[in-house]
Each structure stands twice: as structure tokens, then as C-alpha cells.
Amino acid sequence: MTSQSMSQNMSQSTAGRANQKLRTRTAIVQAAAELSRTGREVTMPEVARTALVSEATAYRYFPDLVSLLQEAIAGQLPSAAEALEPVADSVDPVERVAAATEFLLRHVLARQGVVRAMIAATVVRPGGASARPGLRFGLIDHALSPLDGTLGAADPAALTQLKRDLAVVVSAEALFVLTDLQGLDPEAAVASLVHTATTLTRAALP
């Protein structure tokens, strides 16, 4: 075999391994994305089984579940403007906050397996909280945008405080408190949090 042939074979072998690694990584990410849409619990062993790889292989590509889920759900989340399109023509912050709250909570219910996994990971490692999607903050900002020229101009501190108050209510954590600890069914929990969010908003209006 000539040196040129040996070089070509080595190059093909390297390319083959790289392609196989890419296929394996893609299979793991797709499996996680598929599971995230079911609402069921998402764990690394379950992802590995769905991707038809070993758990050890999954961990070779992703050091933890959070880093995998970050990549798996990228692109699944709508923008705030897309989420609030049904109230795009409304300038009533109360109506817009109600829509934002309901959208966020129903999104959580539909994907609560992955949401719970992300929350659990950031409770154990608070420094990793930035890994969680900040969908609620974009929704709140967009919902309250009609107030930028009124409350925001007259009392920016009050608008900032309202956004902080809403961040506690328009959240997966608040939803799980009502469903898990207080035993409310999901519909009652959503209605309760929409009521709280709109009450906060209405009270802050000038």
C-alpha cells in the first residue's frame, strides 16, 4: 500500500468516526427534545434508552442533564411577541398580563417533566440558575410595554417592582406550589395565578 493510500484510508477513518459521533450526539439531543414534549419526567437514563445508547455514552456527550436539556429545547420556545400575539392589539396591561400568565403556565404544564428537571438542578446548584430559560421575564416585559410611557416614565421604580412581583407569580414554581402542595387541579391553579397576576397589575396602575 502506498503512503498516499494509507493517508486516504486514515482520513476516511477519521471522517467516519466524526460522522458517527455527530449521529450519536444528534440522536441524544433529539431523544431529549422528544421526551420534553411529552410532559413526562425527563432523566438521563430515559433519554439514553430513547436514543438507543448507553447512559455512559450520553454522559460522554453531555456532562449533566441540564446541559443536554438546554440544547434540546433550544428553538422550542416562542418569542414573547409570538406568545402574546392574541393580545397584540391590546394596550390594556391587565389583559396582556392575564394572557402572558396563562401562556406561561400552560407551557409549563405541557412540558413539566423538563421544567421540573431544570428547577431541581438549579435548586441543588444555585449558580446554574442562568441555564434555565427566562421565558417569564420576556413575557412580563412585553405584556407591560404599554406602561413604558406612563408608569415607567412617572415612576420607573414602581414599574420595576411590579415586574419583580409578577416574576414570583408568573412562574413554574408558583404553579407547582398550588398543584403539589395545595392539591389544586391544574385548571384551578392556572385560574388562581392569573387572578393574582392581574390583581397585582391593576393595583400598580396609576
Side-chain angles (χ1 to χ4, degrees):
M1 182 179 292
T2 66
S3 59
Q4 183 177 2
S5 297
M6 291 177 62
S7 177
Q8 287 176 341
N9 288 340
M10 290 177 61
S11 177
Q12 290 172 352
S13 177
T14 300
R17 285 194 298 270
N19 288 336
Q20 181 57 50
K21 286 182 177 180
L22 179 59
R23 285 193 294 270
T24 301
R25 182 186 180 88
T26 300
I28 294 169
V29 172
Q30 288 179 341
E34 178 184 326
L35 288 171
S36 76
R37 288 188 285 267
T38 66
R40 302 198 311 267
E41 180 183 10
V42 181
T43 64
M44 194 66 94
E46 184 65 22
V47 171
R49 282 193 292 272
T50 304
L52 303 179
V53 300
S54 69
E55 187 177 348
T57 297
Y59 275 115
R60 279 203 298 274
Y61 286 86
F62 296 93
D64 51 47
L65 182 61
V66 171
S67 61
L68 169 57
L69 292 177
Q70 277 184 286
E71 186 166 332
I73 66 176
Q76 287 189 20
L77 301 179
S79 68
E82 290 169 340
L84 297 184
E85 188 173 349
V87 292
D89 295 332
S90 173
V91 294
D92 179 1
V94 175
E95 181 184 14
R96 292 170 65 86
V97 163
T101 305
E102 182 155 359
F103 178 88
L104 187 283
L105 298 179
R106 294 198 181 283
H107 179 84
V108 169
L109 287 172
R111 295 169 172 78
Q112 61 178 297
V114 67
V115 174
R116 289 177 183 275
M118 297 288 273
I119 291 176
T122 55
V123 167
V124 175
R125 292 181 297 172
S130 60
R132 289 175 56 186
L135 178 59
R136 81 179 84 173
F137 302 110
L139 286 171
I140 291 169
D141 284 343
H142 195 67
L144 295 179
S145 58
L147 293 179
D148 289 342
T150 54
L151 180 63
D155 192 349
L159 181 57
T160 298
Q161 186 60 53
L162 174 58
K163 290 181 178 181
R164 290 172 181 166
D165 294 343
L166 288 174
V168 177
V169 177
V170 188
S171 67
E173 294 89 343
L175 179 65
F176 294 149
V177 164
L178 294 181
T179 57
D180 298 358
L181 302 183
Q182 290 207 317
L184 268 66
D185 67 73
E187 289 302 317
V190 170
S192 178
L193 291 172
V194 169
H195 171 75
T196 304
T198 54
T199 300
L200 285 169
T201 305
R202 193 174 289 109
L205 294 179

